[in-house]
Amino acid sequence: MHSDGLSAATLNFAIDYERALMGLSDTDLWVWLMYRRGYTQEWIGERLGVSQSDIAYHLGQIVSQLGRRLHDDPLH
């Protein structure tokens, strides 16, 4: 355990997650961060000029992309 109470595994995941996020396009990153902050798919879609279902589909693609990057990291 580190002095702040976080385990090495938690810190490693945080670093991997940050690297995965950095691999997203600007739009994908914005959509992901707004969704994670609690904005609705409808709100995000309105800002981008697309439907809620487009955002739902796009979020699914982002989740898949992040999952692949987290699980297929060649450094581990």
Side-chain angles (χ1 to χ4, degrees), residues 5-76:
L6 296 175
S7 70
T10 300
L11 289 174
N12 285 337
F13 177 80
I15 291 167
D16 291 345
Y17 182 68
E18 185 176 300
R19 284 183 184 145
L21 288 176
M22 290 189 315
L24 295 175
S25 70
D26 289 345
T27 300
D28 288 350
L29 180 60
W30 185 83
V31 168
W32 180 251
L33 293 175
M34 292 301 101
Y35 183 71
R36 296 289 297 161
R37 285 198 64 175
Y39 289 95
T40 64
Q41 293 175 12
E42 292 83 3
W43 185 89
I44 296 167
E46 287 172 5
R47 299 307 175 279
L48 295 177
V50 299
S51 70
Q52 175 275 326
S53 61
D54 290 335
I55 295 299
Y57 175 80
H58 198 69
L59 282 168
Q61 296 297 311
I62 293 170
V63 168
S64 294
Q65 190 176 358
L66 290 174
R68 281 193 307 276
R69 288 188 175 153
L70 287 170
H71 297 295
D72 296 339
D73 187 347
L75 298 176
H76 291 98

